[in-house]
Amino acid sequence: MPSQPPPQASSINPEDVARFNRLGDLWWDKTGKMGILHEINPIRVDYITDHARRFLLNDPEALNVTRPLPLTGLKIADIGCGGGILSEALAELGATVTGIDPAPNNIAVAMRHAQQSGLTIDYRNISAEDLALTGEQFDAIAALEVIEHVEGPSNFIRLLSTMVRPGGLLFLATIDRTLKSYLFAIIGAEYVLGWVPKGTHEHHKFIRPNELSSWLKKAGMREVDRAGMSYMPLMTSWRKSHDTDVNYLMTARKD
């Protein structure tokens, strides 16, 4: 993939784009700096699958039915796809996936890994604004661990909502702005445990769940679920929880 400057748009933070652009193949090193994304990805994928079944596929037994390709027929956009960790998981479940990222190295890594995995994913080195300009709409959009890195997050939510079809879903994952999140997501994760590169997060950019829900409402969407993602130190693993004080997921529907 030829070298090119990252797309420019009002939501893009150039410093964050450059930081993630430097990660390169580290996206797929499960023991490296992005290992935490691999650890929480099954939670994120199950969360998306459960709500897609319930709201998009009219499957009342969403939590109990096992299908080999439960997302077949759904068109999903992965905004800020990075190296493709979430995109590949969704494609493996049958979804038609479009993954976008403003960092060219991320897209190059994602494309190469998808080819090695035998998956067809529409990866594009563009911004969310560029995608919106195409006029495309999706059954679902996922913007996970993204909104705390953009400029103008409320406007970003409004932008994403324009790309969700009526009745479709928007999946978000971010970090609550609490003292607990400062201790765990910044001091602990970045400086003590080294789970993510130092400087990845800025506490003032974290978003309170009710703030996010309010922005969604103003954008013509309705929150239908929120859940926490908590680290269990005794089990050295992550699980979905009711604790949204640090990492949390949210689903909104466009009525």
Side-chain angles (χ1 to χ4, degrees), residues 7 28 85 105 113 202 254:
W28 288 96
I85 297 169
N105 285 349
H113 199 275
E202 298 177 76
K254 189 171 184 177

Side-chain angles (χ1 to χ4, degrees), residues 83-99:
I85 297 169
L86 176 67
S87 292
E88 287 203 11
L90 298 177
E92 287 173 348
L93 295 178
T96 299
V97 180
T98 297

Side-chain angles (χ1 to χ4, degrees), residues 12 26 32 52 86 128 200 210 242:
I12 289 177
L26 289 177
L86 176 67
T200 297
N210 287 345
H242 296 294

Side-chain angles (χ1 to χ4, degrees), residues 29-205:
D29 180 1
K30 294 182 180 181
T31 63
K33 294 294 185 182
M34 304 308 286
I36 188 173
L37 286 182
H38 291 274
E39 292 178 14
I40 66 174
N41 202 50
I43 299 173
R44 306 189 308 174
V45 173
D46 286 348
Y47 185 81
I48 290 172
T49 302
D50 291 344
H51 287 82
R53 282 170 164 171
R54 182 175 291 116
F55 292 104
L56 300 178
L57 300 174
N58 298 315
D59 186 351
E61 298 297 324
L63 301 177
N64 302 317
V65 177
T66 300
R67 298 176 186 162
L69 298 173
L71 299 181
T72 298
L74 295 183
K75 184 180 178 184
I76 302 178
D78 182 8
I79 308 297
C81 65
I85 297 169
L86 176 67
S87 292
E88 287 203 11
L90 298 177
E92 287 173 348
L93 295 178
T96 299
V97 180
T98 297
I100 71 164
D101 199 288
N105 285 349
N106 290 352
I107 292 298
V109 168
M111 292 176 67
R112 183 166 62 250
H113 199 275
Q115 185 176 30
Q116 293 170 351
S117 301
L119 295 170
T120 300
I121 298 172
D122 180 11
Y123 283 122
R124 309 181 200 177
N125 177 212
I126 60 175
S127 67
E129 285 85 353
D130 292 332
L131 183 61
L133 287 174
T134 68
E136 294 178 69
Q137 288 202 316
F138 299 86
D139 298 301
I141 287 180
L144 308 188
E145 287 75 43
V146 169
I147 193 171
E148 68 270 23
H149 297 289
V150 305
E151 299 297 325
S154 61
N155 290 331
F156 185 68
I157 290 295
R158 189 178 300 113
L159 175 70
L160 296 182
S161 73
T162 66
M163 294 184 280
V164 179
R165 69 159 175 82
L169 299 176
L170 174 59
F171 296 102
L172 300 161
T174 188
I175 304 175
D176 196 354
R177 192 174 63 254
T178 61
L179 175 60
K180 185 176 177 180
S181 70
Y182 179 77
L183 294 174
F184 281 80
I186 295 182
I187 301 301
E190 295 186 18
Y191 291 89
V192 177
L193 299 172
W195 282 348
V196 293
K198 293 177 181 177
T200 297
H201 297 116
E202 298 177 76
H203 189 259
H204 71 276
K205 289 188 175 182

